Amino acid sequence: MERGIYIGLLAVMLWGAFNASTRHLFVVYDLNVWAFALTHMLVAGLFLTVIGFQSHSKIKALKTLKNGYTWAYGFLRLCAIIMFMYALKGMSATEATFINCINVVMSLFVGYFMFKRVPKLQDLPIYLLITAAVAWLAYVQPNGFMSSHVIVLVCSSLLFSIMTGLMEKHPEAQTSIGFRGRSLFTGIVMLVTSLIMMLAVFCFKFAPVPENMPLIASAIEGLPTLDMFLSKELLIAAVVVGLVLRAPAFYASLLSLRLLKTENYMLVLTFIPFSTLFFESVASLIPSLGLLPFHMSLPSILAGCVITLSSITLILLKILRKAKA
């Protein structure tokens, strides 16, 4: 378990840097969320697939492609990423990651319904404390609980909890051994998902717009054009973020999940907001980056501390129970 925690903390630092840099790109360059999400995942997936692919890995690659969990996980992952990135347009990356910690509580339901793991009764008050702190952070956002950014972020957290459970069930995820094997598996999941979704985006973009369905028409109008995908700023950002941050962060996350299991993995990820806070605060001190001034109220920071300290308490309780068993 200790190795899983160390790798999980590495993933935490990488995700914090990813969140802060993504927020920066949206604020400064106003990149299209769909285009950036699909392109940087395509770059990261291609990179990991090339690294992990060997002649004797062909069977493994085919098994991964044929497995339904690969497609379900990849689709949910991409939807969750796009929702999270949309939320970054309306709040700081730190606030978004703190609210995203509600997936710690959601993972309880995933653990029960997918694996029949019953939570300990003595842990429930701590989970309620986390829920209350997240609710406060959502409430103080513009428009409170009715904010579209908050609603989308909660939906993203739900999808993230479900897909984490799916990956724990994925047979190839549990049997991928060594750096190359895990890289191949991770790369294929990202590559296949981004390619299929990119194709779907173009199909919907050129589909006839239903005039009697304004919501669907508005959604289709918001999809990126080919020019958006080919813009210099987006391509450079996608390559740099995909290779330097997304690929290693995704790799470390899946390895940590395999070692820790769903609930413990979610608890480690509650440190991401402080990692994001660190990178976002440092970036805001550099005027040349063009970031908006970063500010969080004291009550919001305290609510974030409650979430993280509660998660630390849960981890310690689990370790103590394991030591006594």
Side-chain angles (χ1 to χ4, degrees):
M1 183 173 179
E2 287 78 8
R3 180 171 173 243
I5 291 176
Y6 295 143
I7 295 172
L9 291 176
L10 172 61
V12 162
M13 295 303 294
L14 290 169
W15 284 124
F18 172 82
N19 292 335
S21 61
T22 301
R23 166 74 171 163
H24 166 72
L25 292 170
F26 287 149
V27 170
V28 177
Y29 298 106
D30 193 28
L31 300 181
N32 181 273
V33 172
W34 278 90
F36 178 72
L38 291 169
T39 307
H40 90 268
M41 279 194 70
L42 179 65
V43 170
L46 183 61
F47 173 68
L48 288 173
T49 301
V50 170
I51 286 179
F53 194 82
Q54 303 173 90
S55 59
H56 67 270
S57 299
K58 290 180 180 179
I59 296 177
K60 187 78 174 178
L62 287 173
K63 283 184 177 179
T64 303
L65 282 171
K66 291 179 180 178
N67 197 298
Y69 285 119
T70 299
W71 298 91
Y73 175 87
F75 176 75
L76 292 179
R77 176 103 201 174
L78 194 55
C79 290
I81 289 171
I82 291 170
M83 288 179 179
F84 182 80
M85 288 182 174
Y86 170 79
L88 290 180
K89 286 182 171 287
M91 65 181 75
S92 71
T94 303
E95 291 172 311
T97 48
F98 270 131
I99 295 174
N100 219 27
C101 286
I102 193 63
N103 57 31
V104 172
V105 180
M106 292 175 175
S107 69
L108 286 180
F109 299 96
V110 173
Y112 177 76
F113 288 109
M114 296 184 70
F115 306 102
K116 302 303 178 184
R117 292 198 287 256
V118 181
K120 300 293 182 181
L121 187 61
Q122 60 265 38
D123 293 346
L124 292 182
I126 303 178
Y127 282 106
L128 290 175
L129 192 60
I130 293 174
T131 303
V134 171
W136 162 260
L137 288 170
Y139 175 73
V140 297
Q141 297 300 314
N143 298 322
F145 298 120
M146 299 308 296
S147 166
S148 62
H149 298 100
V150 170
I151 294 171
V152 165
L153 197 53
V154 172
C155 292
S156 171
S157 300
L158 177 60
L159 292 182
F160 186 76
S161 300
I162 295 172
M163 71 190 189
T164 304
L166 289 176
M167 194 49 59
E168 189 177 333
K169 278 180 168 288
H170 200 305
E172 272 67 56
Q174 304 306 314
T175 57
S176 296
I177 305 300
F179 174 74
R180 284 185 178 273
R182 285 189 289 266
S183 294
L184 178 65
F185 170 78
T186 308
I188 287 176
V189 171
M190 299 177 75
L191 186 61
V192 168
T193 306
S194 56
L195 282 173
I196 296 300
M197 289 296 288
M198 196 173 287
L199 179 63
V201 164
F202 283 115
C203 289
F204 279 113
K205 189 66 179 178
F206 293 107
V209 179
E211 297 180 358
N212 58 337
M213 297 180 180
L215 287 177
I216 296 178
S218 177
I220 292 176
E221 287 294 325
L223 293 176
T225 62
L226 183 60
D227 290 338
M228 292 179 181
F229 277 102
L230 297 179
S231 73
K232 182 179 69 174
E233 292 83 3
L234 185 135
L235 290 176
I236 294 174
V239 170
V240 173
V241 172
L243 296 182
V244 178
L245 296 174
R246 168 63 74 174
F250 201 15
Y251 175 90
S253 293
L254 290 184
L255 178 56
S256 177
L257 170 60
R258 185 166 73 90
L259 296 172
L260 292 177
K261 306 308 178 188
T262 299
E263 295 92 324
N264 296 330
Y265 170 73
M266 289 294 192
L267 292 174
V268 172
L269 292 193
T270 58
F271 290 95
I272 289 180
F274 284 102
S275 172
T276 305
L277 175 63
F278 169 76
F279 287 107
E280 200 165 30
S281 299
V282 170
S284 67
L285 296 176
I286 306 175
S288 60
L289 292 179
L291 270 179
L292 296 173
F294 177 73
H295 173 73
M296 276 186 70
S297 66
L298 181 59
S300 295
I301 293 175
L302 290 176
C305 291
V306 167
I307 293 170
T308 303
L309 291 174
S310 299
S311 300
I312 293 173
T313 303
L314 286 170
I315 292 173
L316 292 175
L317 288 174
K318 289 174 182 288
I319 291 174
L320 288 174
R321 283 197 290 263
K322 186 176 180 181
K324 291 179 180 179

